[in-house]
Amino acid sequence: MSESGSSRGARAGDYKTFRQTSRHRLLHEMLQSPKVKESKSAWKVLIMDKFTVKIMSYSCRMADITDAGISLVEDLFKRRQPMASMDAIYFIQPSKENIIMFLSDMSGRCPLYKKAYIYFSSPIPKELVSYIKNDSSVIPRIGALSEMNLEYCAIDSQGFITDHEMTLGDLYGESAQNAPNYSSCLNMMAIRIATAFASMQELPYVRYRAAKSSSNTASEASSRDLIPTKLAAEVWNFISKYKTTIPDFPQKETCDLLIVDRSIDLIAPVIHEWTYDAMCHDLLNMDGNKYTYEVPRKSGSMTVKEVLLEDHDPIWLELHHAHIADASERLHDKMMSFKLNNKAAQLQQNAKDGGELSTHDLKKMAQALPQYNDQMEKLSLHVEIAGRINTLIRDLKLRDLGKLEQDIIFGDAGAKELINFLRTNQNLSQENKLRLLMIYACVYPEKIEGDAGIKLMQLAKLSTEDMGTVSNLKYLGGLDTKKASGVNFSLKFDTQKRNHAARKEREDEEEAWQLSRFYPMIEELVEKLNKGELQKKEYPYMNEPALMKHEAEYTSASAHKSPDHAPHSIRSRRTPTWAKQRVSDDGNSSDSVLRHASSDFKKMGQRIFVFMIGGATRSELRSAHKLTAKIRREVIIGSSSLEDPPLFIKKLKLLSSKQASETAKQIPASNFYF
């Protein structure tokens, strides 16, 4: 009953990225599958539950669905009008509630639809299959009953989430171990991760962050420390079953999966990231990917417009990973190039300058005007967004703040610099002061305890609740004072700061823009994994390569690799392809970026998947693209959710049970748009 497509099963020329594979499967293996094509109904109804709607909206646009023969998209749990002459495609999770709703649609003398094609997002339990079979009136009306094994949201061409927004609270909260959601959250997350490998037809070597807790550590802290281990075991259990349930599923390992949690990097979710994408979501109060702005009407009044900042916008696709200064410069160049090279713009400027337009010129202008208006509107939108961001950077003094953040992280600043900054910047926002102290606490945990912490709180004018949020980092593995106290004493203060540094300078990389020194720890881990330098003791295997099992602990990293598990590392100082600018003749960004990317992927080695429990950041998602170009292996970042600093801080407050009920109400529900 299981079905699964494969990007590797296709010819080399048809290589698909992660999201392209997801989209292809939804459109061609479900909406236009051979069984559905046998239907006599020219147009069909697509019925989904709340989560499968998200899956679909992240991978496909409404136009794609319409082109696939869908005339109407319906909610499984909303009351629907009977359409007895039409067939329906159900894309639903295999839950008892969903099965009951499906049977109520299709059983009895008057079903809602003529025929039903059912596709489950993940494996369906045998008891639920029996439940369907027991209704004899429904069986003849079923055209297909299949497992799609696609239960994740492809948020990026190289990223996905399992949509567990409350993972931090469910798994790492003060009393999480005894909470009812603890086991169900881990189980559902494992199922959804496994379906990503079913979709890609990849069998991974599964590695995970090993527990660090000692035997005398409190059981609750130890339980949090074991979460990556538990998730890795469940993921491997589900994936290994695919070898017998999915046709043509690989029998030997084809890729790597590394499962980690936020304890490996607590700085990435709160530091100011300086890319266009990160700045938009950090500073502009966006609703998901929806940006709202005002434009003037002809009458002079203002009207509100909404736009989605997503990959279908070629300018966004080109610039979203660029540094905000770079993005601003490139937008200015695009606008100037557009005005110089676009025919309609030239004719319009000529008319403004008092030149006469011939009938032929007017005709040309009329023909080019719709395209001109569309391109001008898109460029103007991004120029306006970049302008707003740069204004906020100036007004909020983010350049000085960002420099101090990175100096603390790299060991170039300590308590003295922090205190001086807080004294001279009393008007800094509460959120920014809190984020700064969280970074300081991650680097100097011993200096945030007791009287020293209270004095810093008073200097920053933070509330007890805010300092409680800083303290909650301990639930995620932060504030490890034992590790900090192990630093050797030195009379040289600069040496002490360097010993505390949370990052080392990347000597093999030259950053073109200020405040680009910071990199997430995922980069370091992936590079070590690629070169075979990831310590087995710290990151053990669930399914260890056969060659490794017979080798001594001191064997060199190069000997640890089996023939099918060789690295594919090409180190280069050239500008990586993910950062290169591609511009079309009219000054607009080219929509051929994905086409170029696909051709690059054909030459890639085995994929590397990294799953972050507790929410990935936009800097980590950007790193997937950067690393892909650098090591020539497609790197895919998965996570329970995608976090922006304000939302992460709200969730961090939830980890203390006293604040849980109040803060939970403030976590916004995600909105989705086709």
Side-chain angles (χ1 to χ4, degrees):
M1 186 167 68
S2 292
E3 290 185 2
S4 177
S6 171
S7 61
R8 292 191 181 277
R11 300 186 309 276
D14 293 335
Y15 192 101
K16 294 180 177 64
T17 62
F18 181 78
R19 183 152 64 179
Q20 286 172 339
T21 298
S22 304
R23 178 180 179 277
H24 178 86
R25 293 199 62 223
L26 289 168
L27 295 178
H28 299 285
E29 295 181 25
M30 185 176 72
L31 300 186
Q32 293 179 309
S33 68
K35 289 183 178 179
V36 171
K37 284 183 177 179
E38 293 173 3
S39 167
K40 295 179 181 179
S41 176
W43 291 95
K44 298 166 192 68
V45 181
L46 175 61
I47 299 153
M48 297 180 282
D49 58 41
K50 287 183 179 179
F51 184 61
T52 53
V53 163
K54 295 180 183 180
I55 296 172
M56 185 68 74
S57 65
Y58 272 117
S59 293
C60 305
R61 299 175 69 185
M62 195 64 208
D64 299 326
I65 297 171
T66 304
D67 290 344
I70 302 300
S71 62
L72 185 64
V73 177
E74 295 268 39
D75 185 329
L76 178 67
F77 283 88
K78 286 187 178 177
R79 189 171 181 177
R80 286 162 277 130
Q81 293 296 320
M83 296 183 177
S85 62
M86 295 181 71
D87 292 343
I89 298 173
Y90 285 78
F91 180 38
I92 56 177
Q93 296 175 92
S95 66
K96 189 173 181 180
E97 295 79 9
N98 286 354
I99 299 300
I100 289 171
M101 289 301 297
F102 160 70
L103 291 176
S104 69
D105 287 351
M106 298 303 297
S107 62
R109 293 184 178 181
C110 301
L112 290 185
Y113 311 104
K114 186 178 180 181
K115 214 171 191 66
Y117 299 84
I118 310 109
Y119 293 88
F120 295 107
S121 54
S122 58
I124 180 171
K126 290 181 180 178
E127 59 268 24
L128 291 182
V129 176
S130 300
Y131 193 67
I132 294 171
K133 288 181 177 179
N134 287 339
D135 194 326
S136 57
S137 66
V138 170
I139 298 301
R141 297 167 183 161
I142 295 178
L145 187 67
S146 184
E147 293 169 351
M148 275 296 289
N149 290 312
L150 200 163
E151 196 169 289
Y152 55 83
C153 299
I155 59 170
D156 183 84
S157 60
Q158 291 172 233
F160 71 95
I161 58 171
T162 59
D163 197 45
H164 289 93
E165 287 288 340
M166 302 311 297
T167 295
L168 288 182
D170 289 343
L171 300 183
Y172 294 90
E174 192 171 1
S175 305
Q177 190 178 1
N178 302 318
N181 291 340
Y182 183 88
S183 296
S184 61
C185 179
L186 273 176
N187 181 260
M188 185 56 69
M189 200 182 300
I191 289 173
R192 290 177 180 176
I193 294 169
T195 66
F197 291 90
S199 271
M200 303 303 289
Q201 284 215 325
E202 295 270 23
L203 179 63
Y205 284 105
V206 180
R207 301 183 71 172
Y208 56 94
R209 180 192 64 75
K212 303 172 187 174
S213 302
S214 57
S215 56
N216 60 355
T217 306
S219 60
E220 199 169 310
S222 180
S223 176
R224 293 188 194 98
D225 206 16
L226 284 167
I227 286 170
T229 308
K230 292 177 180 178
L231 182 62
E234 290 204 40
V235 168
W236 175 243
N237 178 48
F238 289 122
I239 292 177
S240 58
K241 291 176 183 176
Y242 290 147
K243 290 197 280 187
T244 56
T245 59
I246 294 180
D248 301 322
F249 194 77
Q251 299 302 300
K252 291 184 179 180
E253 286 77 4
T254 60
C255 65
D256 291 290
L257 167 62
L258 179 62
I259 296 177
V260 295
D261 62 2
R262 278 267 54 108
S263 68
I264 68 159
D265 190 354
L266 288 169
I267 295 173
V270 294
I271 190 172
H272 284 87
E273 168 76 0
W274 291 80
T275 62
Y276 187 38
D277 179 13
M279 283 272 161
C280 283
H281 288 87
D282 190 356
L283 301 179
L284 300 183
N285 296 318
M286 290 173 60
D287 177 9
N289 291 331
K290 185 174 71 174
Y291 174 70
T292 305
Y293 63 108
E294 290 186 337
V295 292
R297 290 175 174 168
K298 290 181 179 179
S299 60
S301 61
M302 303 297 286
T303 182
V304 175
K305 291 193 72 173
E306 296 175 350
V307 64
L308 293 178
L309 299 181
E310 294 178 339
D311 286 358
H312 59 77
D313 177 348
I315 300 177
W316 175 258
L317 181 62
E318 181 190 341
L319 298 180
H320 70 299
H321 286 156
H323 189 285
I324 181 61
D326 184 25
S328 299
E329 282 191 10
R330 283 154 70 173
L331 282 168
H332 176 266
D333 291 344
K334 284 177 183 294
M335 184 63 82
M336 296 304 294
S337 176
F338 179 74
K339 289 179 177 179
L340 287 172
N341 298 327
N342 185 273
K343 290 180 180 178
Q346 291 171 350
L347 291 169
Q348 196 172 62
Q349 187 62 45
N350 187 37
K352 285 182 180 178
D353 294 340
E356 292 186 9
L357 294 179
S358 66
T359 306
H360 181 68
D361 288 338
L362 288 170
K363 185 178 179 182
K364 271 189 173 182
M365 189 172 174
Q367 290 172 341
L369 205 55
Q371 185 184 11
Y372 165 80
N373 288 338
D374 181 55
Q375 292 174 348
M376 192 65 178
E377 186 177 351
K378 285 179 180 177
L379 267 174
S380 299
L381 167 67
H382 288 283
V383 169
E384 192 258 354
I385 293 173
R388 276 190 65 187
I389 290 172
N390 285 314
T391 300
L392 287 168
I393 289 171
R394 184 182 65 251
D395 293 348
L396 298 174
K397 299 180 180 179
L398 293 186
R399 285 192 182 89
D400 293 338
L401 175 62
K403 184 179 184 303
L404 179 59
E405 288 176 345
Q406 301 207 18
D407 284 348
I408 290 172
I409 292 164
F410 284 91
D412 297 329
K416 181 181 176 181
E417 290 82 1
L418 174 66
I419 291 168
N420 287 340
F421 183 83
L422 290 174
R423 281 176 176 166
T424 56
N425 292 276
Q426 293 287 329
N427 294 329
L428 204 66
S429 71
Q430 293 297 102
E431 181 190 298
N432 284 335
K433 285 188 283 189
L434 176 57
R435 287 165 67 171
L436 181 60
L437 282 186
M438 288 171 72
I439 291 169
Y440 182 74
C442 289
V443 182
Y444 299 95
E446 76 284 2
K447 294 185 179 181
I448 210 76
E449 290 188 330
D451 291 342
I454 293 172
K455 288 178 180 178
L456 277 175
M457 177 185 74
Q458 291 171 344
L459 178 61
K461 297 180 180 178
L462 292 179
S463 66
T464 306
E465 181 185 5
D466 286 334
M467 288 308 291
T469 304
V470 176
S471 179
N472 281 356
L473 289 169
K474 66 179 180 284
Y475 295 120
L476 303 181
L479 309 185
D480 188 353
T481 54
K482 291 181 182 178
K483 182 179 178 182
S485 62
V487 175
N488 293 329
F489 177 75
S490 172
L491 292 175
K492 294 183 178 180
F493 186 58
D494 286 346
T495 305
Q496 283 187 304
K497 288 191 287 186
R498 285 290 179 189
N499 286 336
H500 274 81
R503 295 289 189 280
K504 295 178 181 178
E505 297 285 357
R506 309 299 293 266
E507 294 179 1
D508 61 332
E509 293 183 13
E510 294 181 2
E511 296 295 348
W513 299 98
Q514 188 184 16
L515 304 173
S516 294
R517 296 164 70 193
F518 175 78
Y519 58 91
M521 283 306 297
I522 275 181
E523 278 192 32
E524 197 170 293
L525 292 178
V526 169
E527 288 185 352
K528 285 183 177 180
L529 186 152
N530 177 63
K531 292 187 284 186
E533 296 175 358
L534 201 60
Q535 291 296 316
K536 183 178 155 186
K537 185 178 180 181
E538 297 174 5
Y539 295 92
Y541 287 84
M542 272 293 152
N543 50 327
E544 190 174 337
L547 196 61
M548 278 187 164
K549 293 179 182 178
H550 304 292
E551 292 179 345
E553 284 293 322
Y554 58 80
T555 304
S556 66
S558 61
H560 278 182
K561 298 178 185 62
S562 59
D564 292 332
H565 202 231
H568 302 262
S569 177
I570 296 177
R571 299 183 67 80
S572 171
R573 293 184 68 86
R574 63 180 172 78
T575 305
T577 54
W578 66 271
K580 283 184 179 176
Q581 182 178 3
R582 293 192 179 103
V583 185
S584 58
D585 294 334
D586 64 358
N588 204 345
S589 60
S590 172
D591 60 1
S592 64
V593 173
L594 285 178
R595 208 160 50 240
H596 283 278
S598 295
S599 64
D600 290 341
F601 279 126
K602 295 173 193 174
K603 304 167 188 175
M604 294 291 176
Q606 294 179 340
R607 289 185 174 100
I608 296 176
F609 292 79
V610 181
F611 190 85
M612 173 65 76
I613 307 168
T617 68
R618 294 180 191 277
S619 62
E620 288 162 345
L621 201 56
R622 175 175 57 86
S623 291
H625 294 265
K626 177 181 177 181
L627 287 163
T628 296
K630 185 175 182 179
I631 66 175
R632 307 305 297 166
R633 298 175 67 179
E634 185 184 3
V635 178
I636 296 166
I637 301 292
S639 185
S640 45
S641 57
L642 185 63
E643 299 297 336
D644 296 308
L647 187 56
F648 179 80
I649 291 170
K650 284 183 180 179
K651 291 179 180 179
L652 194 61
K653 290 180 181 179
L654 277 171
L655 301 188
S656 296
S657 57
K658 293 178 183 178
Q659 302 177 54
S661 58
E662 183 179 343
T663 312
K665 297 174 185 176
Q666 300 172 26
I667 304 297
S670 299
N671 293 322
F672 300 89
Y673 315 89
F674 280 111

